[in-house]
Amino acid sequence: VQDILDYGYFGFALSRFSGLWVGLKTMKERIEESSLVDGDPFRMEFKNPETMSTSDNLNIRLVDTPADQEKRLLSDKKIAAEEFARINRIDKVGLPKGNAKIGLVAAGKNWLDLIHALSLLGIDETEASALGLTSYKIVQTWPIDRQSLLEWADQLDLIIVIEEKRKIIETQIKEALFSIASKTRVYGGHKNDEYLFFDHGVLDPLDIASALGQILKEEGYIKDYYIEKSENNSNDCRVRFFDQFN
């Protein structure tokens, strides 16, 4: 619930700076629940980038054709939104990077699903460091803060994008990596020629855990894994590793 207030505040500041409409996607379980939050409107402060040479060209004006609006959206406004997210460091590193070679990326509900999946796998910060895993939480899903993401992705061999439905984040990550001729592989909707996270249905933490277990096995980080289900509760599952190689 605190995130809804904080990101809503960020959305207002972003909209005022970039001239963009800003939407906040939420879950009914979060909207309808009660929670103790800090409602101080001055608790958060945001910086406006000083390097924007097009800051006078962002807002609507009296004579504004559709062609001009489209050009301003995809050039000036998009750049402004990306720069605003970067300077305010809205995206966060979850599991520390260290010498990690595999990165996990998610946003919103899927970030919570990823945290749940890692708990099913028994992967905490110490275990993640041993396995060579790091994670990155994206808050602004379009346009993503490419510079911060590329700084995090440097030296990674593989990035796994946990994203249900339409792959908005995955395509932007691939474009960003392609623009710098990076050799980092990206798994998301597909893993090579196989489906990984589908465009339809709901992404379940157990599905994510199983997918990560399979990838860690294929990458040589573990020997094998299996799903352990509770006899008393079909929803109580764990994914167990056999011996790690490292």
Side-chain angles (χ1 to χ4, degrees):
V1 176
Q2 185 70 60
D3 281 350
I4 295 175
L5 294 178
D6 292 348
Y7 296 156
Y9 191 19
F10 171 81
F12 279 117
L14 170 62
S15 181
R16 287 169 180 162
F17 175 74
S18 66
L20 285 168
W21 290 88
V22 178
L24 183 65
K25 182 181 177 182
T26 61
M27 299 168 57
K28 67 180 182 67
E29 291 84 357
R30 293 292 175 263
I31 288 294
E32 296 175 354
E33 75 178 11
S34 299
S35 177
L36 182 64
V37 299
D38 186 345
D40 182 359
F42 303 106
R43 189 176 64 85
M44 302 178 66
E45 294 183 1
F46 298 104
K47 303 175 183 177
N48 285 341
E50 299 178 355
T51 58
M52 289 298 303
S53 60
T54 56
S55 57
D56 295 331
N57 300 321
L58 299 177
N59 298 311
I60 196 168
R61 65 282 320 273
L62 184 61
V63 179
D64 207 12
T65 66
D68 289 338
Q69 292 179 35
E70 180 183 41
K71 179 180 179 182
R72 194 163 60 250
L73 169 65
L74 297 177
S75 55
D76 303 337
K77 291 188 177 185
K78 182 180 178 183
I79 294 172
E82 186 175 336
E83 182 67 10
F84 188 85
R86 185 197 65 78
I87 197 171
N88 288 288
R89 294 295 179 182
I90 191 64
D91 297 336
K92 305 295 182 184
V93 175
L95 296 170
K97 185 178 177 182
N99 296 318
K101 292 300 180 182
I102 297 181
L104 310 174
V105 176
K109 170 187 175 294
N110 294 146
W111 175 258
L112 299 178
D113 293 334
L114 172 60
I115 293 175
H116 189 178
L118 291 173
S119 70
L120 292 177
L121 291 166
I123 297 178
D124 55 15
E125 187 172 318
T126 301
E127 184 73 9
S129 177
L131 287 168
L133 295 177
T134 179
S135 62
Y136 190 81
K137 179 183 180 181
I138 289 184
V139 173
Q140 182 174 299
T141 56
W142 189 93
I144 63 171
D145 172 9
R146 292 179 297 173
Q147 181 175 331
S148 297
L149 178 116
L150 290 174
E151 290 172 359
W152 169 79
D154 186 42
Q155 303 300 317
L156 292 180
D157 293 335
L158 172 65
I159 294 176
I160 304 170
V161 185
I162 295 87
E163 184 177 21
E164 61 188 8
K165 307 297 185 181
R166 182 181 175 187
K167 305 300 184 261
I168 297 175
I169 298 173
E170 179 188 347
T171 54
Q172 294 180 84
I173 291 176
K174 287 180 176 178
E175 288 174 359
L177 292 170
F178 182 81
S179 69
I180 61 170
S182 172
K183 295 182 180 180
T184 303
R185 294 167 293 151
V186 178
Y187 291 166
H190 290 80
K191 180 186 68 177
N192 299 324
D193 294 329
E194 304 174 11
Y195 280 107
L196 188 58
F197 302 123
F198 289 91
D199 295 331
H200 56 82
V202 178
L203 195 54
D204 184 86
L206 183 59
D207 295 331
I208 298 173
S210 298
L212 293 180
Q214 181 63 33
I215 292 172
L216 289 173
K217 176 183 176 182
E218 293 172 354
E219 295 293 317
Y221 288 87
I222 60 173
K223 292 182 179 179
D224 209 343
Y225 73 102
Y226 68 98
I227 299 175
E228 181 182 87
K229 295 186 177 181
S230 171
E231 295 181 358
N232 300 322
N233 186 353
S234 60
N235 293 321
D236 184 13
C237 303
R238 295 291 185 272
V239 180
R240 302 301 186 195
F241 293 151
F242 290 135
D243 293 338
Q244 299 173 199
F245 285 109
N246 54 349

